[in-house]
Amino acid sequence: LLFSPDGQLLALGGLDKTNPNNNRPTILLWDVANNREVAMFQRPPDPNGAFFFLLEFDPQLQSLTTWSMDQTMRLWDISA
């Protein structure tokens, strides 16, 4: 759970539980002012259940960096 530097976006990390066989690490990007989802990012299914444990916004709000339990780092484009 992380707010963007300007407080306009909220990033929520967890596992997609819509399909019990899915187990996909998921990030939801939420527009706080308009109370709506603006983006969803998912990694491929992971049999070991590796999830995001750290989130960080780029100060210019162009990207969101995630670190996962499997020691991978990903850079997600949030500029759109």
Side-chain angles (χ1 to χ4, degrees):
L1 177 70
L2 179 69
F3 281 96
S4 62
D6 65 2
Q8 298 299 310
L9 297 173
L10 176 63
L12 305 143
L15 292 176
D16 181 359
K17 297 291 187 176
T18 57
N19 178 346
N21 300 318
N22 191 347
N23 210 27
R24 292 183 72 168
T26 302
I27 298 287
L28 291 178
L29 199 57
W30 196 259
D31 179 335
V32 177
N34 295 306
N35 195 28
R36 67 179 181 90
E37 179 184 316
V38 292
M40 179 172 65
F41 306 105
Q42 289 189 310
R43 289 181 35 155
D46 187 329
N48 300 315
F51 57 90
F52 302 110
F53 71 91
L54 185 62
L55 309 169
E56 186 171 334
F57 280 101
D58 159 38
Q60 287 79 36
L61 296 179
Q62 298 297 305
S63 63
L64 178 70
T65 305
T66 60
W67 288 267
S68 301
M69 296 300 292
D70 63 358
Q71 301 179 3
T72 59
M73 181 183 83
R74 291 183 187 245
L75 195 63
W76 306 90
D77 182 7
I78 62 169
S79 60

